[in-house]
Amino acid sequence: MKDLVRLTDVTKVYRGGITGALNGVSLTVESGEFTAIMGPSGSGKSTLLNLVAGLDEPSSGSVAVCGTDLGSLGEARLARFRRDHIGFVFQFFHLLPNLTALENVLIPAQLRGNGSTARAAELLERLGIEEVADRYPSRLSGGEQQRVAIARALVNRPTLLLADEPTGALDTRSGEQVMDLLGRLHRDGQTILLVTHDARLAARHAARVISVMDGEVVDDSRRQVA
Amino acid sequence: MAAVLVKALKDLRRRRLQAAVVSVTALLAVGTATMALTLQSQTRTSYQTVFDTQKGAHLQVRFDGRIDPRTLAGSPALIGATASGGPYPSTDVQFRFESRKYLVSTIGRDNPDGQVEQLRVVAGRWPANDSEIALTQSFADLNHISIGDRVKIVSVPQEPQLTVAAKVFDIDEGSAAVTNQHSWMLSSAIAALTPPGFAYSFMDYRFASDPTDAHLQADLNTLRGSLPAGSVTGSTTYIAVRTVFGVTNLLATNLLGAFSIFALLATVAIVANLVTGIVISTYREIGIMKAVGFTPRQVELVVVLQIVIPAAVAALVALPLGAVASQPLLANSSLALGLPYQAAFSPALGAVAFIGALAIATVAAFVPALRAGRLKAAEVIASANAPRGRSGRWLRRLAARVRLPRPVVLGAGDALARPLMAILTMLAIFVGVVTVTVAIGVPRALTEIVNHEESIGYAHVLVNRSPALADSEAMRIFSADPDTKRVVGRVPQPVAVPGLGDQAIAYTFRGDSSRLGFLLLAGRWYGGPGEAVAPRGLMHDAHLKIGDHFTVTVGTRPVSLLLVGEVYDANNLGHTMFVDWSTISPAKPDLAPSQYLVTLTPGSDVGAYVRRVAAVQPDLLDVQRNDPSLTESPIGNALIIVAAVVIVIGAAAIFNTLLLNTRERARDTATLRTVGMSPRQVMVMVAASAGLLAVVGGAVGVPAGFGLNRLLVSLINDIGNNDTPASMYEVFGVWELLAIPLACVAVAVAAALLPGRWAARTRVIEVLHAE
């Protein structure tokens, strides 16, 4: 397997910060992996995910995704890179409130120049939420909103799916459903990088768990997932 | 692009109120700009087109009626005219129609065609016998005279009745509203209508190309030198006619142009304000858009489209509205040209207004939208809300120190929390206040001009005398009425002034003219024979200054004058002078007043006086109350409309800012509500924000408006070739200068009501939960 994500000696210091959110982190993620990044609040795991998504830039070091050094891309090319290669699922779903579920899913495809609704409708059906296609986010449950967000992340068939605490805002049952969904996607070949502070979830679904503490990788273990 | 459009349209649906604000401001700004552009384009070209089509005369000369027509027929060769018309026998005719009497120059002409000054018959037919008359359409329409109406000639003792046979267009005279008019009869009819001493001949001359004023003056001098002395008794050049025609529209287009710039400025402020607010209020959403693949430029485009789409729709509506609103002024222009009014609109100019407005709106929106493009996705998603503005803290502390009520203190701080938005809002208010100040000041200055020129408030009654009635008889009638306090006779006497192409008018007064309210700008009023006062136009063009001696020609007689003062007078484009009877009468022994300015004893009933004097001589005296008004001026009306427009835009700016502020501060407001702030106090807090912005905008706007008013009034007087008297600047009362900013605060507080109510009624739990 080849490296899909490569972080090389990455440090991130926020303005006004005394210590770095990330301090010299180096790691790789291979294609097809389901990797969980674990750590307590403020450990730097979300920062790591934002850097991989190209939403933020490191203070030093380099981040490469799909062989592309993200530091070499400007804002516009980063946006295009994201829409072509990366899907992002947020803890609080972050659906655009004035678009219906279907329109939310469609947006990345439309930005890529593909306005066909077939793929979006298929995803909604596959995720079991086809009946909410015309509803606005405010009329959806948390679980439904997160599934819409996952569909939006998948609509361009991304090489890498990033999920930042995808169950953090959900009840236990909805959280389980979402994680099962991610597991299914992984089994279908999707590379997933998951950020969570829930050790149980990480252990149950991810084949590899990277632990982060105070901006440093303190553990990186692989195991066989049932 | 589809995603950008979908997002922008969806956001528009969510921000219907802000879209409405953009629409209203764009509608008003584009509407006024269209008005100004339509007027400017349609009036600029129309005069020359009609002048060429109707072979207008470059020079019209009035000759003494005693000159042999054969001599005049040879005059074109003297000055190298390529075409000519006349000589036409002419006289001044006064006629009565219904209760009014009118004085017109009546020209004997057997057909409306010819090489020069072709007359276009637009209604009826050319007079076929000596009892028919043709009038200009401008004059007939102004006075509601129709084809077939009968008018009674009162300037000759026989008092014949004439039938109006035709309405014609004459390119060689201005609107009946501003200049004396010609009429036409068969040449065989003129002799019977000519009172003694009122026989003239008209010649029209046209040259191969449009001559300069200097050339025309040289031609006039040639005519004077080549023909018997005293032959030339009057003249008009096409330049003077064109200027007279253009004055009203020049004034209107200048003012409307200035106002449309104000409106566009206010629109720029409001658009920039709106976009700033949109960016601030959608911080997290911008981050999400970036996270799902919108490029920075696409994010900016989503924001800009939310302005451009409603602005484009509004502009499309505004184009026909602006074109329609400009039609009354265009109709006025047509009347001035004697043209039939036809609704006019230039699609090319419409496109210019449309594209220009959209370009301005796009730039105004794009600059603040750049901020949205620059935002870092990770940061804004994490922080969710824009950093709170802190600039109002010092003001809040200051307000607290002077022990203002707490809601007012909080509101004052909120007003300046975001300095850029506060400045943009104050800019819109500022423009509104400036516009209102100018809209009040300019029409008053115009009224001042009319009042002083017409002696309104000084002479209560104006009486025009028919030549058929002796001056002595008219004076006997006035003297017999106990309410008559003072009568000043006046006659406009054409005089040739060295350096002027056209003849100037010497208003010759019999009686004390110094008490008729004319505005003396410099020097002193004339004190006796040989002294004159004149406006800047004559002084400038004839290269005269106060203290200069110069010689004018009255008929054939030279009259020496000393210029002793500068007077305000926009008549005849400032080519006038005011002299005493004793100055002109030696050169023109048969001089008699054509008009009397009558001042009544205090407490007299002006209406009763008018009825009494008119009853004594119903045909031979035209008696009118001296109180013309500008209230129906299309310019004044247009200014009022545009001022209202800019006020609405200013109010919209305040409304928008408060809406954004209250939404942005929803959590703060909810928190205040939980600690005991009442809904009424919330409204006071929002209103205090509005009031503060309005006070600052108004305080700066009033002096700026005052200054701009001075500038525009000076410009208006420049057009009329006059210096501006101080009284035309001093048209505001102190209380008004205070009332304007106070009214501004009232409008601001009214605009704050809706956002205030929204803030006061929001359910605290919902807000805190949502945040």
Side-chain angles (χ1 to χ4, degrees):
Chain A
M1 288 204 270
K2 58 176 183 174
D3 293 345
L4 193 62
V5 178
R6 175 176 290 277
L7 273 70
T8 309
D9 199 17
V10 168
T11 296
K12 177 67 184 178
V13 181
Y14 287 110
R15 250 183 320 199
I18 298 166
T19 57
L22 288 178
N23 299 309
V25 170
S26 295
L27 62 84
T28 58
V29 175
E30 292 176 352
S31 180
E33 274 190 338
F34 190 144
T35 305
I37 300 173
M38 287 245 339
S41 290
S43 60
K45 54 188 189 301
S46 288
T47 299
L48 196 153
L49 208 63
N50 287 337
L51 292 173
V52 172
L55 293 173
D56 208 347
E57 57 207 42
S59 305
S60 65
S62 68
V63 179
V65 179
C66 302
T68 301
D69 179 4
L70 300 188
S72 67
L73 303 180
E75 274 284 316
R77 288 183 65 195
L78 267 176
R80 279 191 284 275
F81 181 84
R82 266 197 302 274
R83 82 169 71 129
D84 290 342
H85 296 287
I86 294 173
F88 206 119
V89 179
F90 299 93
Q91 178 180 359
F92 293 106
F93 333 128
H94 289 338
L95 298 178
L96 295 167
N98 55 336
L99 302 185
T100 63
L102 181 64
E103 287 168 338
N104 263 289
V105 176
L106 263 176
I107 278 280
Q110 289 172 327
L111 288 168
R112 205 181 187 189
N114 175 15
S116 165
T117 56
R119 164 80 174 155
E122 176 215 318
L123 279 169
L124 291 178
E125 189 181 346
R126 192 170 144 201
L127 301 184
I129 47 172
E130 67 271 25
E131 72 280 4
V132 303
D134 294 327
R135 284 195 209 159
Y136 285 90
S138 59
R139 303 280 307 280
L140 302 178
S141 69
E144 288 170 333
Q145 286 192 57
Q146 195 59 296
R147 277 186 280 174
V148 172
I150 292 171
R152 180 177 68 183
L154 294 174
V155 72
N156 282 344
R157 302 179 200 278
T159 320
L160 176 63
L161 180 64
L162 305 176
D164 186 1
E165 303 272 14
T167 60
L170 301 177
D171 57 60
T172 308
R173 187 164 164 270
S174 298
E176 289 292 345
Q177 286 175 344
V178 165
M179 287 311 297
D180 287 344
L181 182 58
L182 292 178
R184 256 186 7 239
L185 290 169
H186 172 240
R187 284 193 290 279
D188 291 345
Q190 179 69 55
T191 309
I192 297 174
L193 190 55
L194 166 77
V195 162
T196 182
H197 64 271
D198 188 332
R200 192 181 57 83
L201 271 184
R204 188 171 153 201
H205 294 279
R208 180 184 175 194
V209 177
I210 299 171
S211 297
V212 181
M213 182 80 76
D214 296 333
E216 293 176 5
V217 174
V218 294
D219 186 37
D220 186 348
S221 59
R222 284 185 166 84
R223 65 175 194 82
Q224 194 68 41
V225 181
Chain B
M1 191 63 193
V4 171
L5 205 58
V6 166
K7 182 72 173 81
L9 288 172
K10 288 286 183 171
D11 283 353
L12 262 180
R13 285 179 62 181
R14 184 171 52 168
R15 300 196 177 94
R16 282 190 290 264
L17 208 53
Q18 287 165 4
V21 169
V22 171
S23 300
V24 169
T25 53
L27 182 98
L28 300 175
V30 175
T32 47
T34 306
M35 275 178 82
L37 285 173
T38 304
L39 277 173
Q40 201 152 18
S41 71
Q42 298 300 320
T43 54
R44 186 176 283 176
T45 54
S46 52
Y47 176 84
Q48 195 61 40
T49 305
V50 179
F51 185 77
D52 291 339
T53 305
Q54 294 193 210
K55 300 187 188 308
H58 288 116
L59 179 64
Q60 292 179 292
V61 182
R62 196 176 73 162
F63 295 95
D64 189 305
R66 291 166 294 190
I67 306 299
D68 185 346
R70 284 171 300 184
T71 305
L72 295 181
S75 63
L78 295 172
I79 55 175
T82 52
S84 65
Y88 303 116
S90 312
T91 188
D92 289 341
V93 159
Q94 192 170 40
F95 68 80
R96 177 177 176 174
F97 174 69
E98 296 177 344
S99 62
R100 294 292 310 268
K101 296 178 207 68
Y102 306 93
L103 185 68
V104 291
S105 290
T106 303
I107 299 169
R109 189 161 164 171
D110 295 330
N111 66 69
D113 306 321
Q115 292 179 302
V116 182
E117 203 207 8
Q118 293 176 349
L119 302 167
R120 197 144 57 87
V121 177
V122 291
R125 52 158 180 77
W126 194 251
N129 56 60
D130 289 356
S131 62
E132 292 184 338
I133 188 167
L135 303 172
T136 63
Q137 187 187 37
S138 170
F139 177 82
D141 289 350
L142 184 70
N143 297 299
H144 310 291
I145 301 174
S146 306
I147 300 293
D149 280 344
R150 306 270 286 169
V151 300
K152 183 179 179 183
I153 304 295
V154 295
S155 47
V156 290
Q158 299 85 345
E159 299 192 350
Q161 296 259 357
L162 302 180
T163 303
V164 176
K167 291 183 185 177
V168 303
F169 301 142
D170 180 11
I171 190 59
D172 291 314
E173 52 190 317
S175 162
V178 291
T179 61
N180 293 329
Q181 294 290 288
H182 292 170
S183 64
W184 295 265
M185 297 180 70
L186 295 181
S187 47
S188 56
I190 298 299
L193 301 179
T194 305
F198 284 84
Y200 313 110
S201 292
F202 267 101
M203 283 293 297
D204 299 326
Y205 304 98
R206 189 172 167 86
F207 299 89
S209 58
D210 290 346
T212 63
D213 201 39
H215 280 127
L216 293 169
Q217 189 188 345
D219 290 338
L220 271 172
N221 288 337
T222 302
L223 289 174
R224 287 194 186 100
S226 307
L227 298 173
S231 299
V232 175
T233 59
S235 62
T236 307
T237 68
Y238 78 106
I239 295 169
V241 174
R242 188 174 63 187
T243 308
V244 167
F245 158 72
V247 159
T248 306
N249 291 314
L250 187 64
L251 196 61
T253 48
N254 279 343
L255 289 173
L256 280 174
F259 275 67
S260 58
I261 289 170
F262 295 166
L264 282 172
L265 259 179
T267 304
V268 167
I270 209 168
V271 163
N273 200 352
L274 264 173
V275 174
T276 305
I278 287 171
V279 173
I280 288 168
S281 63
T282 57
Y283 240 50
R284 180 159 56 192
E285 210 169 310
I286 289 166
I288 298 166
M289 286 163 68
K290 289 191 160 186
V292 299
F294 281 84
T295 64
R297 190 49 51 86
Q298 286 172 322
V299 171
E300 290 155 13
L301 204 54
V302 167
V303 177
V304 170
L305 279 175
Q306 292 174 55
I307 300 298
V308 170
I309 291 170
V313 172
L316 281 175
V317 177
L319 288 176
L321 284 181
V324 168
S326 62
Q327 297 309 306
L329 286 164
L330 274 180
N332 203 44
S333 307
S334 300
L335 199 68
L337 275 177
L339 284 171
Y341 161 65
Q342 287 183 320
F345 174 68
S346 160
L349 270 179
V352 167
F354 181 77
I355 293 168
L358 282 198
I360 290 169
T362 303
V363 171
F366 192 72
V367 173
L370 285 173
R371 182 179 177 188
R374 284 201 307 268
L375 290 175
K376 295 286 178 202
E379 286 177 22
V380 293
I381 291 172
S383 62
N385 292 315
R388 293 297 171 88
R390 295 176 177 181
S391 298
R393 289 180 178 176
W394 62 270
L395 188 67
R396 197 174 292 156
R397 282 197 293 270
L398 183 70
R401 210 168 290 161
V402 294
R403 297 185 180 282
L404 289 172
R406 179 52 57 174
V408 175
V409 171
L410 292 170
D414 288 350
L416 299 185
R418 293 198 179 278
L420 179 63
M421 288 183 69
I423 288 168
L424 289 169
T425 308
M426 285 187 283
L427 177 64
I429 295 167
F430 168 83
V431 171
V433 171
V434 168
T435 311
V436 169
T437 309
V438 170
I440 292 171
V442 168
R444 284 188 185 172
L446 292 173
T447 306
E448 277 281 300
I449 291 172
V450 172
N451 286 354
H452 285 288
E453 286 188 339
E454 303 297 330
S455 298
I456 293 165
Y458 298 90
H460 305 107
V461 178
L462 285 182
V463 183
N464 290 305
R465 178 181 62 85
S466 161
L469 181 74
D471 168 43
S472 56
E473 179 58 18
M475 290 303 291
R476 190 196 62 74
I477 294 168
F478 299 136
S479 303
D481 196 296
D483 285 349
T484 304
K485 180 182 178 189
R486 185 172 57 247
V487 180
V488 178
R490 174 167 69 178
V491 63
Q493 174 60 45
V495 295
V497 180
L500 298 187
D502 294 316
Q503 288 202 313
I505 296 172
Y507 288 109
T508 308
F509 290 89
R510 189 180 65 190
D512 187 359
S513 61
S514 67
R515 288 195 282 175
L516 289 176
F518 300 119
L519 283 170
L520 190 68
L521 300 179
R524 61 173 175 80
W525 198 250
Y526 62 77
E531 292 186 344
V533 293
R536 189 187 75 185
L538 184 132
M539 291 169 64
H540 176 268
D541 294 345
H543 309 291
L544 294 172
K545 59 184 186 301
I546 293 171
D548 280 355
H549 290 273
F550 62 110
T551 302
V552 301
T553 307
V554 179
T556 60
R557 307 274 292 272
V559 175
S560 294
L561 293 173
L562 169 66
L563 189 67
V564 296
E566 180 187 349
V567 69
Y568 185 95
D569 186 37
N571 286 304
N572 203 34
L573 296 174
H575 285 185
T576 61
M577 64 179 73
F578 291 50
V579 294
D580 188 66
W581 203 259
S582 57
T583 302
I584 301 294
S585 57
K588 194 170 172 57
D590 58 348
L591 197 67
S594 58
Q595 189 178 59
Y596 304 90
L597 297 99
V598 183
T599 306
L600 304 185
T601 53
S604 300
D605 181 341
V606 179
Y609 183 89
V610 167
R611 286 190 293 277
R612 280 200 304 275
V613 173
V616 179
Q617 277 293 351
D619 289 342
L620 303 182
L621 289 179
D622 178 33
V623 190
Q624 297 295 328
R625 177 194 280 266
N626 189 24
D627 60 351
S629 141
L630 272 182
T631 51
E632 291 182 8
S633 155
I635 295 173
N637 291 341
L639 287 185
I640 290 167
I641 290 169
V642 179
V645 162
V646 183
I647 290 169
V648 171
I649 291 175
I654 298 168
F655 173 80
N656 171 60
T657 298
L658 295 176
L659 196 65
L660 291 170
N661 277 353
T662 49
R663 287 190 176 166
E664 189 191 358
R665 293 179 181 278
R667 188 176 60 186
D668 297 351
T669 309
T671 307
L672 289 167
R673 291 279 305 281
T674 60
V675 298
M677 183 178 267
S678 71
R680 183 181 293 272
Q681 287 172 315
V682 172
M683 289 192 68
V684 169
M685 181 173 72
V686 176
S689 281
L692 181 74
L693 295 173
V695 163
V696 177
V700 182
V702 166
F706 195 69
L708 188 65
N709 184 64
R710 281 183 77 97
L711 194 70
L712 285 174
V713 170
S714 295
L715 184 72
I716 290 167
N717 286 319
D718 277 344
I719 292 170
N721 288 327
N722 271 274
D723 287 321
T724 305
S727 63
M728 280 185 207
Y729 297 137
E730 295 158 0
V731 291
F732 298 98
V734 174
W735 67 270
E736 284 176 318
L737 295 178
L738 293 172
I740 292 171
L742 287 178
C744 179
V745 172
V747 170
V749 170
L753 282 179
L754 202 60
R757 279 167 67 93
W758 182 82
R761 288 183 174 187
T762 304
R763 286 169 58 83
V764 174
I765 297 300
E766 281 177 12
V767 172
L768 292 179
H769 179 70
E771 287 279 318

